[in-house]
Amino acid sequence: MMLIIDNLHATVADKPILKGLSLTINAGEVHAIMGPNGAGKSTLGYTLGGRPGYEVTGGTATFDGEDLFALEPHERAAAGLFLGFQYPVEIPGVSFVQFLRESLNAQRKSRGEEPLSGGEFLKLAREKAALLKLDMDMLKRPVNVGFSGGEKKRAEMVQMGILDPKLAILDETDSGLDIDALRIVGDGINAVMRRPDKAVLLITHYQRLLDYVKPDFVHVLAGGRIVRTGGAELALELEERGYEAVAA
Ligand SMILES: Nc1ncnc2c1ncn2[C@@H]1O[C@H](COP(=O)(O)OP(=O)(O)O)[C@@H](O)[C@H]1O
Ligand SMILES: [Mg+2]
């Protein structure tokens, strides 16, 4: 089992948000979590990632056999957890290539692996950029500065490809994307993560990304816990009937 979340309780600014959430993800699976605005979907992603301000007040999470909450955020990343966000940060003055090489080498160091040289890294970056159809010149520009929504997402997929995580948690990666960008994200997830040794947790408000990345399981998050689980057809039912009817 890749990730076992058991009876998770978490607070944000002392406000209880997650109230007994349990979820198990196996290698090779794609799970989607859907739910109304404010249900706690992003809180789940941030809590698993270890973002400051998101406090675990009960329950456990085991990632690849390790106690996830005992690890620092950078250790979670080095252990193979990748978090993609709704709003990618812009970092003026730092090129994407520099940023990605630093990130990858920090993770490699944390795992006791040798850093990649500049040449080795560029070879890897070129390979992933080609796979994900991102112009290599984009990676020489400052991180996300002046990138369109679609370019940011394509770059995020390249980042994911380079870091090569075991589990990717992607939060509202589809919001604000047009159909072309949506296809890029869907193709990216499928190319990098649809493998028997990897898993994906897609956090999304809409079902349209799920046309491109077919989930094995769809969960409805409401009131701080998973209230329903089904297959891909549950996402369509939610779209049709609304959260209240389905989650009640
Ligand atoms: N930094 C914060 N301070 C206070 N409340 C927050 C903060 N972040 C999120 N919340 C609250 O936590 C609840 C869950 O938010 P969130 O996890 O972002 O929901 P979702 O992603 O499902 O829309 C909401 O009621 C939101 O107002
Ligand atoms: Mg959210």
Side-chain angles (χ1 to χ4, degrees):
M1 254 127 11
M2 171 114 25
L3 178 71
I4 306 164
I5 303 172
D6 186 30
N7 198 23
L8 178 61
H9 289 70
T11 61
V12 185
D14 290 328
K15 188 174 143 192
I17 306 293
L18 301 182
K19 303 168 187 167
L21 186 145
S22 297
L23 175 68
T24 296
I25 300 178
N26 293 298
E29 294 176 350
V30 172
H31 290 242
I33 290 203
M34 304 182 74
N37 277 321
K41 301 184 300 296
S42 294
T43 299
L44 174 63
Y46 288 138
T47 302
L48 294 174
R51 182 173 166 140
Y54 291 76
E55 200 192 338
V56 176
T57 52
T60 57
T62 309
F63 177 54
D64 217 17
E66 281 193 86
D67 175 3
L68 186 69
F69 299 138
L71 303 176
E72 296 293 329
H74 73 272
E75 294 171 325
R76 299 181 196 189
L81 186 68
F82 176 89
L83 264 90
F85 290 109
Q86 194 166 357
Y87 306 107
V89 289
E90 300 186 0
I91 317 178
V94 178
S95 79
F96 238 119
V97 170
Q98 274 172 294
F99 170 73
L100 293 174
R101 188 174 160 214
E102 293 282 328
S103 311
L104 177 63
N105 279 341
Q107 292 192 7
R108 290 177 65 90
K109 188 174 178 195
S110 196
R111 292 194 292 260
E113 299 166 7
E114 290 294 313
L116 291 190
S117 70
E120 286 167 330
F121 179 77
L122 274 180
K123 185 167 175 280
L124 176 67
R126 263 195 214 100
E127 188 187 300
K128 298 299 180 186
L131 174 70
L132 297 159
K133 301 186 179 69
L134 182 74
D135 185 349
M136 195 59 198
D137 285 344
M138 298 290 298
L139 293 183
K140 293 176 183 154
R141 287 170 41 182
V143 176
N144 285 323
V145 177
F147 284 31
S148 71
E151 287 166 346
K152 282 182 183 168
K153 287 301 155 185
R154 217 184 264 276
E156 186 179 34
M157 293 298 109
V158 172
Q159 181 180 359
M160 187 166 78
I162 286 172
L163 295 177
D164 195 28
K166 289 178 189 146
L167 173 66
I169 300 175
L170 301 164
D171 185 4
E172 300 274 346
T173 273
D174 48 347
S175 69
L177 297 185
D178 61 25
I179 284 293
D180 290 338
L182 203 60
R183 187 184 293 272
I184 292 165
V185 169
D187 288 350
I189 295 169
N190 288 328
V192 174
M193 298 301 297
R194 254 296 182 195
R195 291 180 30 182
D197 56 340
K198 296 186 184 295
V200 180
L201 179 57
L202 293 172
I203 298 176
T204 181
H205 189 74
Y206 305 101
Q207 98 70 40
R208 47 183 211 155
L209 180 62
L210 307 181
D211 288 336
Y212 297 93
V213 187
K214 223 173 157 24
D216 302 292
F217 298 95
V218 172
H219 310 277
V220 180
L221 174 54
R225 50 206 299 185
I226 304 291
V227 295
R228 232 187 114 178
T229 293
E233 74 291 342
L234 179 55
L236 296 169
E237 191 188 337
L238 284 167
E239 191 105 311
E240 224 165 83
R241 300 178 55 212
Y243 287 110
E244 289 200 12
V246 172

